[in-house]
Amino acid sequence: MRFHLLGSLEVLDDDMPVPLGGVKQRAALGFLLLHANRVVATSKLLQALWSRDVPPTARKMLQNAVSGLRGVLTPHGSGPEGSGPDGSALLLTHAPGYLLRVDPDSLDLSRFQQLTEQGRGELSAGNWPAAAKVLRKALSLWRGPVLADLAETGINWPELTAIKDWRLATQEDCFEAELACGRHYEIIGELESLIEVEPYRERLNGQLMLALYRCGRQVDALSVYRRTRAALVEELGLEPGRELQELERAILDHAPALDLPPSVQRRHLLAVGQSAPALPVPAPVVITPPPVVEPSPVDVTTVERKLVSVMMVSAQLGLAAGDGDPEDVDEVHQEVAAVVAAEVSRLGGVVGGNVGSVFLALFGVPRTAEDDADRAVRAALAIRDRLGSVADVQIGVATGDALVRLPSSGTPSASGVLLDQCRQLMALAPLGAVRACTASRDASASVTWAADPAPTGGWQAVSCVSPRGATRRAQASVPFVERERELFVLQGLLDEVRDRRRPHFVTVLGEAGVGKTRLVHELASSCSAALRGTATAFGDDHGYGPLSGVVQGFSSPEALHDALTSLVGVGDLADRLCVSLSGLASGSPDVVADFPAWRRFLEEIADSGPLVVFLEDVHWANDVVLDFVEELSEQAGSVPLLVIATARPELLQRRPSWFGGKRNATTISLEPLSHNGTRSLLNALLQTRELSAELWQALVSCVGGNPLFATEYAAMVSDPRMPCVQNDVGLPVPPSVRSVITAQLDSLPFAVKAVLGDAAVVGELVSPGAVAATGRRDPGDVAKALELLEQRDFLRRQGRNSETGEIEYGFRHGLVRDVVADQLPRAVRAEKQDRAAAWFAEPALDLMPFMDRRAG
């Protein structure tokens, strides 16, 4: 027999599951297995099975459970007192209790402990690859939380916590070995997911900082430290440990000790597109895809239907390598691979491997951004330009629906006709050209295209309008509806800044598309000195996008010195400011922002006349920039400076101190338009177009008071080719609207997003019990997830169910439910629907006492 504890309790006899009886019998077996081959006192077993309120008949019930287990553990009925077929005792009565004899090799917990010790021995010996392999094998034994089915019944033994901590320590050891092997790119996603669940484990945070640093993301590494320190100080009153503090200092100093070991230095340099010294033995001429983690019970792969952008790059390596010598071809291949990896990573994509000289990249996995297509095309243009002197390339970009697999570790993958479409576009592209589908073209606002569609299909990308920074789709010129009060507040603050010569900081909060940027543009049209900087959505710049945008908006890099001398005169001050700001003006990726110089630059401009600085979407800015922006209004001198930052509500979680009633600071929250405001906006957008009453009602419901959604839906129904216009059928979700909603969903922790998917299947009103049954999850965990979804404004509380007493929630917007449900594969959705229907078919049960106990 084999016994499994690392997940739900399971006993296998010749690979067939053995029925284990009721909860008490299963719990008794689970506790005995946790103490296998050791005597467990009867009193201890009683305490484990009944933590409180032990019934008078408990001892008799335990004896019955043990008797039942002896029958279970002797499936062939041979041997006395729970003996196996060969007469070897399994479950014995042994004073002062019971003894369960188990072969260690038949118990997954014992095997996990053995492999962990073996892996740690390899780690101590410095044998990193062997340590990583053994520790991964140990972690693969896990199928879920230890004794997950018993834990769902309310059992919370100290042994379960100890084993959970052992698993975390093993994961940390595994990450240490893989970092030493140079696998920092592969483990970042797994580290980030684990830290969401265990934010206070300093070793995990330090490993993520080191992985980000080795990927060239110093700012993100430092942001992890600041976030960890804030959590420890604010919630536990503790400073980070000495090791984490020293790691932060080492990152700031670019300490050589953080570099990769020499044995893996060459691979790292190639990954970031730099040349590397030759090794004594030439690398084998073998072209392989990125490493794939072998499937194992511990790996959890999420399958979703998503809107993604796919890029394929074909490089003519033989032509570039002269006579085609294999070593020359491999050298060109490595350089092409490094350029593709660097540009795709810089713009937030994932390299999905290669077949020969054809490379695949995905944008929109594991997380969707609102401009995935734009980023994919810009990455393609950057690759084309960088490889122009290395190899002839053909590049295709396609955007559409795909079935995406997101493993808990390893590289995401996608399947569907979209990949065939991308391959055809790549094959039809001329050498040195980028060809994209119509959907990619329509979604790429920062790219210029050939005037006419190519005769062979698709569109040819020419160049980027803004090579650095995220240029999202320009908002259409739409009527300014129901924002007059907020505009009046901004105008009043600008007048106060002008009259009192005192800086002021304004944060405009609102969901995507609600009209934050439009509000600021309305203010800008009434004043003559408005500058704008934009924080990038996907980190493709040096991290100081807002600051660069302001400097570049005022002066070009070539004219910066002349502009500064006109402000402060000729002399040392102008020279120093020019040196400090030149990196921002040029958008150099190696820039380190000089915040005092930037603030002095703004003060000098504002001193000559009122200045409005617009920092757009600062929730995407890194923590270093946010620290500076937060202090700007307090540290700036007595000048008429109005700083307006637009952001989404998630900034409240990142920067609660922004909204604590600071001096010279105002927060404006934009709510969705009212029903009448939505109809007025749609009337203006549709003008005289005749629509049925049913279609009007569906439009208003889908728009939900969001001006961006109104613009997109109005454009869709204005197209006479749309079936919803001809037949009054259901309205599909426009791709841009879907991208906005999906990006919001992907910002949720994995487990919470999964609960939201279950809720979307349940119906318009959901409760913890229904959602837990649909997803087969712990009701207490589901209740907490629903509370978080309410805080994040995906759900809204609707009261309590009159029969069960549970809190019921409704979706804030029907589109959210539609998009979440559409992401579930058909088979998964059908299975969840069956479980939801079965739950509703059962008699109502008052779950309040159980839920209160779980919450406690």
Side-chain angles (χ1 to χ4, degrees), residues 299-315:
D299 286 331
V300 178
T301 298
T302 302
V303 183
E304 292 182 344
R305 298 169 60 100
K306 295 191 76 172
L307 181 68
V308 300
S309 292
V310 181
M311 181 183 70
M312 289 187 182
V313 181
S314 174

Side-chain angles (χ1 to χ4, degrees), residues 509-740:
L509 285 177
E511 64 183 28
V514 79
K516 303 182 295 296
T517 302
R518 177 62 191 279
L519 174 64
V520 179
H521 285 173
E522 286 294 318
L523 176 69
S525 64
S526 63
C527 65
S528 59
L531 302 181
R532 177 185 177 188
T534 303
T536 59
F538 40 83
D540 67 320
D541 67 354
H542 42 64
Y544 304 112
L547 317 187
S548 293
V550 173
V551 176
Q552 293 167 354
F554 182 78
S555 177
S556 66
E558 298 78 13
L560 179 61
H561 189 272
D562 293 339
L564 289 170
T565 55
S566 68
L567 290 171
V568 301
V570 179
D572 291 342
L573 179 57
D575 295 339
R576 289 200 305 271
L577 289 175
C578 186
V579 170
S580 299
L581 298 174
S582 57
L584 288 174
S586 63
S588 169
D590 300 322
V591 66
V592 176
D594 185 337
F595 295 126
W598 191 80
R599 184 173 62 245
R600 178 65 181 271
F601 174 69
L602 295 183
E603 291 173 347
E604 294 296 340
I605 300 173
D607 191 54
S608 60
L611 173 65
V612 178
V613 176
F614 175 29
L615 306 179
E616 185 177 22
D617 290 337
V618 296
H619 54 274
W620 279 321
N622 61 60
D623 284 343
V624 177
V625 171
L626 291 179
D627 285 339
F628 173 66
V629 172
E630 184 176 358
E631 299 169 356
L632 178 60
S633 63
E634 295 183 353
Q635 296 185 2
S638 298
V639 292
L641 170 64
L642 180 63
V643 180
I644 303 176
T646 63
R648 297 187 188 166
E650 50 260 41
L651 186 66
L652 289 166
Q653 280 74 42
R654 289 184 63 189
R655 291 283 156 160
S657 57
W658 278 31
F659 311 99
K662 283 194 170 187
R663 182 177 65 90
N664 296 344
T666 300
T667 301
I668 297 176
S669 296
L670 292 187
E671 297 296 329
L673 301 178
S674 67
H675 182 84
N676 290 336
T678 301
R679 290 188 66 91
S680 175
L681 178 57
L682 286 170
N683 267 319
L685 292 170
L686 295 169
Q687 297 179 352
T688 59
R689 184 168 183 80
E690 293 291 336
L691 299 178
S692 66
E694 293 79 7
L695 187 54
W696 257 110
Q697 183 176 357
L699 268 177
V700 174
S701 176
C702 289
V703 168
N706 188 300
L708 174 63
F709 293 5
T711 304
E712 297 299 321
Y713 271 101
M716 183 178 70
V717 301
S718 296
D719 187 347
R721 297 169 297 179
M722 289 298 296
C724 61
V725 177
Q726 300 296 331
N727 306 317
D728 283 353
V729 299
L731 290 171
V733 182
S736 57
V737 175
R738 183 177 169 192
S739 294
V740 169

Side-chain angles (χ1 to χ4, degrees), residues 377-605:
V377 176
R378 294 177 62 208
L381 290 171
I383 292 170
R384 178 202 66 181
D385 295 342
R386 286 187 60 179
L387 293 178
S389 60
V390 177
D392 291 324
V393 296
Q394 298 168 282
I395 306 179
V397 180
T399 299
D401 286 321
L403 196 66
V404 176
R405 287 177 170 83
L406 304 171
S408 57
S409 61
T411 305
S413 62
S415 60
V417 70
L418 183 67
L419 276 75
D420 293 329
Q421 181 186 4
C422 186
R423 179 180 55 80
Q424 292 170 1
L425 289 166
M426 176 190 68
L428 294 173
L431 291 178
V434 176
R435 191 174 299 285
C437 66
T438 300
S440 300
R441 173 192 177 273
D442 292 344
S444 300
S446 68
V447 177
T448 56
W449 299 84
D452 299 312
T456 53
W459 296 76
Q460 185 168 322
V462 178
S463 61
C464 292
V465 176
S466 54
R468 303 205 68 83
T471 303
R472 295 175 294 134
R473 174 187 292 198
Q475 187 177 5
S477 177
V478 296
F480 190 64
V481 177
E482 289 190 345
R483 300 291 186 236
E484 291 80 6
R485 184 183 64 82
E486 290 83 0
L487 178 60
F488 180 76
V489 171
L490 287 179
Q491 290 171 335
L493 291 173
L494 180 58
D495 291 340
E496 183 177 340
V497 164
R498 180 187 296 110
D499 296 339
R500 299 188 178 184
R501 294 184 61 84
R502 185 175 66 186
H504 200 92
F505 180 62
V506 181
T507 307
V508 181
L509 285 177
E511 64 183 28
V514 79
K516 303 182 295 296
T517 302
R518 177 62 191 279
L519 174 64
V520 179
H521 285 173
E522 286 294 318
L523 176 69
S525 64
S526 63
C527 65
S528 59
L531 302 181
R532 177 185 177 188
T534 303
T536 59
F538 40 83
D540 67 320
D541 67 354
H542 42 64
Y544 304 112
L547 317 187
S548 293
V550 173
V551 176
Q552 293 167 354
F554 182 78
S555 177
S556 66
E558 298 78 13
L560 179 61
H561 189 272
D562 293 339
L564 289 170
T565 55
S566 68
L567 290 171
V568 301
V570 179
D572 291 342
L573 179 57
D575 295 339
R576 289 200 305 271
L577 289 175
C578 186
V579 170
S580 299
L581 298 174
S582 57
L584 288 174
S586 63
S588 169
D590 300 322
V591 66
V592 176
D594 185 337
F595 295 126
W598 191 80
R599 184 173 62 245
R600 178 65 181 271
F601 174 69
L602 295 183
E603 291 173 347
E604 294 296 340
I605 300 173

